[in-house]
């Protein structure tokens, strides 16, 4: 799930359903390289939550590597496609239509995750939504758990779109009990382009 939305306005499910009626530019048919490296380094631990999972390529990659995975997305069509992929590929991964800014709701249902992965979801949120999402992570990630986000590098400081390591450090410092343990420059691949990006890992203390 990727793209930009007006500041202060939550992306609407039917907008993403329209995008997933075709093949969105960000749906490249395989996980972003940063997450492959995360798995290769042994930093992903089950159970894993994939926020803004889209049609499920990252979730399915993680499940194929032995992880217990739940993917969530606003778009019912994207989730339906992810479930179809899982069925046809015979991969055990679960998918749920859910708003990632309501992680507290997942916590209320008893869900807990040692790893939360975010492939270009956080970078589209408004400032208020980002704070709500960060606060919600504490409801589903126990001490020692890890949140890993890949997002376009912010190019314009007047815009909220995109991410920077400085912003993530500031937001999680305000939330208390979190530490940025890695942050590096990389790329976010799309079907027809490659954007400068950051890959950032934040651990709950």
């Amino acid at each position: 799930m990727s793209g930009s939305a007006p500041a202060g306005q939550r992306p609407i499910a039917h907008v993403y359903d329209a995008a997933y009626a075709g093949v969105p530019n960000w749906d490249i048919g395989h996980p972003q390289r940063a997450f492959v490296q995360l798995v290769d380094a042994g930093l992903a631990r089950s159970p894993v939550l994939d926020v803004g999972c889209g049609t499920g390529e990252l979730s399915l990659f993680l499940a194929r590597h032995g992880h217990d995975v739940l993917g969530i997305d606003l778009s019912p069509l994207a989730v339906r496609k992810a479930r179809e992929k899982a069925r046809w590929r015979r991969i055990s991964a679960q998918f749920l239509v859910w708003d990632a800014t309501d992680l507290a709701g997942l916590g209320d249902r008893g869900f807990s995750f040692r790893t939360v992965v975010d492939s270009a979801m956080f970078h589209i949120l408004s400032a208020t939504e980002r704070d709500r999402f960060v606060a919600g992570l504490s409801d589903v990630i126990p001490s020692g758990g890890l949140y890993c986000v890949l997002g376009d590098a912010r190019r314009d400081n007047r815009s909220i779109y995109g991410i920077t390591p400085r912003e993530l450090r500031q937001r999680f410092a305000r939330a208390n009990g979190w530490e940025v343990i890695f942050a590096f420059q990389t790329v976010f691949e799309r079907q027809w382009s490659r954007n400068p990006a950051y890959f950032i890992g934040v651990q709950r203390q």
Side-chain angles (χ1 to χ4, degrees), residues 107-185:
D108 289 343
R109 293 189 177 197
F111 286 95
S112 179
F113 304 93
R114 298 174 75 190
T115 310
V116 174
V117 293
D118 177 344
S119 185
M121 190 279 298
F122 185 88
H123 78 180
I124 69 168
L125 299 179
S126 71
T128 301
E129 290 163 348
R130 292 178 189 216
D131 286 337
R132 189 185 314 142
F133 174 74
V134 169
L137 285 170
S138 296
D139 292 304
V140 295
I141 298 181
S143 177
L146 186 64
Y147 167 62
C148 300
V149 56
L150 176 68
D152 286 339
R154 183 174 299 148
R155 299 180 181 181
D156 182 355
N157 288 331
R158 296 169 297 180
S159 171
I160 189 64
Y161 179 80
I163 63 173
T164 68
R166 179 181 179 183
E167 179 203 357
L168 269 290
R169 288 190 178 96
Q170 291 175 339
R171 288 190 186 278
F172 279 93
R174 291 198 298 269
N176 293 319
W178 296 87
E179 180 184 1
V180 173
I181 61 171
F182 66 78
F184 59 85
Q185 289 184 298

Side-chain angles (χ1 to χ4, degrees), residues 1-3 20 24-35 51-53 58 118-124 149-153 155 161-163 184-199:
M1 177 170 145
S2 180
Y20 284 112
N25 190 22
W26 62 84
D27 195 345
I28 58 175
H30 57 82
Q32 297 286 331
R33 188 174 308 172
F35 291 104
V51 294
C53 66
L58 177 54
D118 177 344
S119 185
M121 190 279 298
F122 185 88
H123 78 180
I124 69 168
V149 56
L150 176 68
D152 286 339
R155 299 180 181 181
Y161 179 80
I163 63 173
F184 59 85
Q185 289 184 298
T186 182
V187 296
F188 183 80
E189 298 180 52
R190 291 172 169 81
Q191 292 190 51
W192 304 291
S193 64
R194 291 161 56 94
N195 285 31
Y198 287 108
F199 190 48

Side-chain angles (χ1 to χ4, degrees), residues 49-126:
L49 175 65
D50 180 6
V51 294
C53 66
T55 63
E57 289 297 339
L58 177 54
S59 294
L60 296 171
F61 169 77
L62 289 161
R64 195 167 64 244
H65 283 76
H67 292 287
D68 180 11
V69 184
L70 172 66
I72 62 173
D73 201 283
L74 274 177
S75 166
L77 179 55
V79 168
R80 189 177 78 201
K81 288 187 173 185
R83 289 170 176 164
E84 290 172 353
K85 285 181 180 181
R87 184 174 67 254
W88 285 107
R89 297 180 193 179
R90 298 183 179 180
I91 298 174
S92 178
Q94 303 299 312
F95 297 96
L96 180 66
V97 178
W98 195 271
D99 185 343
T101 65
D102 182 26
L103 294 183
L106 285 181
D108 289 343
R109 293 189 177 197
F111 286 95
S112 179
F113 304 93
R114 298 174 75 190
T115 310
V116 174
V117 293
D118 177 344
S119 185
M121 190 279 298
F122 185 88
H123 78 180
I124 69 168
L125 299 179
S126 71

